[in-house]
Amino acid sequence: AKSATGSGIRFFESSMQRAVELRATLEQQLRHALPNNELHLHFQLQVDNRRNIIGAEILLRWLNANHGVVSPADFIPLAENTGLILPIGQWVLETACAQLQRWQQDASTSHLHLAVNVSARQFRQENFADQVKEMMNRFNINPALLKLELTESLVLIDVEDTIQKMHSLKELGVKFSMDDFGTGYSSLSYLKRLPLDQIKIDQSFVRDIVSDKSDAVLVQTIIDMSRNFGLEVIAEGVETDQQLEILQRNGCHAFQGYLFGKPVTLDEFEDLLGQLPGK
Ligand code: C2E
Ligand code: CA
Ligand code: CA
Ligand code: CA
């Protein structure tokens, strides 16, 4: 670049360059994250209307030697682009199944479900349904306790293929949740064709539900529509009692967010279970 373009541009270019370099090192290190045991799973509890814990969403964490905890928002796209999401996604699913198997053996935890985020590349694999089927058999778990979270953008890549895959997974008994609902371009016409069990209201709508009238109307509409389709509705990102109160008044079935608990390690999550009333 010409120096005549000024320091603003030069600064921009060098920070761009740093970003590109950081990306390259992260990508290099991500290749070793799984074999080096740098990936961890956190559990964020989900509750019903009576605040009983009904399960958890599993969320990836990458503890990198140089960068500390790298957010999944930063490394999932990288993992998608490189294809590393395939072994990583498989590992997340296996770990979820192994955990469900353990919980299944104790009457006090056998009702708990686990929600797993499925990336587009992972879902698009031709043998994805077979992989899940193999895990159901290997771990011998109640498939209804495994909830796969799909996003609208994943669905839209190939709606026909998505519907077909979802049906073969539904035959196994697995559940589906539509993650980040409202942020994408879902149209009602295909929504009704997808064999969904749950709609997950995105946290961006929950955030301003108390102050922003249009967000409140939108959330109300999503809940009414979902209920009319016979779907369960969960809200994510619930942080305040006020938000919870509005969501409950509007007929939301389940809740997830800092108000109830941040994502925590398995040990911490199981401590929370121990604190359930009646335990
Ligand atoms: P997501 O699926 O929408 O997950 C919810 C995100 O919101 C999580 O961020 C969670 O920590 C955060 N969150 C939960 N409750 C609250 C709250 O009350 N307030 C606020 N402000 N935030 C809250 P996280 O863990 O950083 O995950 C970010 C995204 O990374 C996830 O968004 C998901 O798209 C992706 N991700 C995480 N784990 C996996 C995984 O195992 N596989 C795939 N494919 N993607 C994953
Ligand atoms: Ca999710
Ligand atoms: Ca979400
Ligand atoms: Ca989100």
Side-chain angles (χ1 to χ4, degrees):
K2 288 240 169 73
S3 56
T5 50
S7 62
I9 300 283
R10 273 204 310 276
F11 172 77
F12 176 70
E13 284 180 345
S14 62
S15 64
M16 279 273 285
Q17 172 138 21
R18 272 199 302 277
V20 168
E21 281 164 10
L22 175 64
R23 207 189 138 89
T25 19
L26 275 184
E27 187 177 314
Q28 205 46 43
Q29 291 168 352
L30 189 58
R31 293 186 189 284
H32 307 290
L34 193 55
N36 286 352
N37 295 316
E38 291 173 4
L39 296 183
H40 306 273
L41 294 172
H42 276 191
F43 295 70
Q44 186 176 32
L45 60 85
Q46 300 180 336
V47 299
D48 67 11
N49 261 310
R50 296 188 320 241
R51 288 204 181 209
N52 290 323
I53 299 178
I54 52 176
E57 177 177 7
I58 286 202
L59 295 158
L60 260 170
R61 295 290 176 264
W62 177 17
L63 196 53
N64 175 283
N66 304 319
H67 301 283
V69 182
V70 185
S71 162
D74 294 326
F75 73 85
I76 295 289
L78 211 59
E80 277 260 326
N81 291 335
T82 52
L84 286 165
I85 195 67
L86 298 182
I88 292 174
Q90 171 107 8
W91 172 75
V92 174
L93 262 176
E94 279 177 352
T95 310
C97 291
Q99 190 52 50
L100 285 172
Q101 189 188 44
R102 267 177 239 123
W103 283 343
Q104 213 169 252
Q105 281 150 23
D106 188 315
S108 69
T109 51
S110 59
H111 62 289
L112 296 170
H113 71 248
L114 278 177
V116 176
N117 293 287
V118 179
S119 85
R121 188 135 173 197
Q122 189 183 5
F123 187 78
R124 293 264 87 89
Q125 294 173 98
E126 217 188 314
N127 64 349
F128 180 69
D130 293 331
Q131 288 178 27
V132 175
K133 186 177 187 174
E134 186 275 325
M135 285 183 219
M136 292 298 113
N137 293 333
R138 174 151 47 107
F139 293 97
N140 191 28
I141 53 172
N142 175 4
L145 297 176
L146 181 67
K147 196 168 267 165
L148 300 180
E149 295 198 359
L150 309 181
T151 58
E152 294 168 80
S153 54
L154 174 153
V155 166
L156 280 177
I157 294 172
D158 185 341
V159 179
E160 295 310 319
D161 177 64
T162 299
I163 292 172
Q164 197 214 310
K165 274 214 181 83
M166 285 178 76
H167 276 295
S168 40
L169 285 156
K170 293 270 352 163
E171 274 169 32
L172 300 174
V174 168
K175 303 285 181 188
F176 283 103
S177 180
M178 181 64 97
D179 201 359
D180 300 345
F181 189 77
T183 60
Y185 302 92
S186 2
S187 86
L188 292 177
S189 62
Y190 79 73
L191 194 65
K192 72 162 200 260
R193 297 179 57 209
L194 299 175
L196 289 165
D197 300 280
Q198 184 185 68
I199 294 285
K200 196 168 201 179
I201 301 176
D202 190 65
Q203 58 189 67
S204 60
F205 303 117
V206 174
R207 188 178 309 130
D208 299 324
I209 194 175
V210 178
S211 56
D212 187 327
K213 181 79 182 128
S214 62
D215 276 355
V217 170
L218 201 99
V219 166
Q220 166 97 68
T221 307
I222 293 174
I223 294 173
D224 289 347
M225 181 211 66
S226 306
R227 293 187 69 117
N228 286 333
F229 275 123
L231 302 174
E232 190 193 64
V233 195
I234 185 167
E236 71 177 357
V238 183
E239 295 183 354
T240 69
D241 284 310
Q242 266 179 308
Q243 291 168 338
L244 175 64
E245 201 262 318
I246 294 174
L247 289 161
Q248 281 185 315
R249 187 161 15 96
N250 287 336
C252 193
H253 302 102
F255 312 90
Q256 178 182 346
Y258 296 167
L259 179 63
F260 312 101
K262 293 196 169 182
V264 292
T265 63
L266 177 62
D267 280 353
E268 291 168 316
F269 182 74
E270 289 188 330
D271 283 347
L272 293 171
L273 292 175
Q275 290 161 21
L276 274 174
K279 285 280 155 67

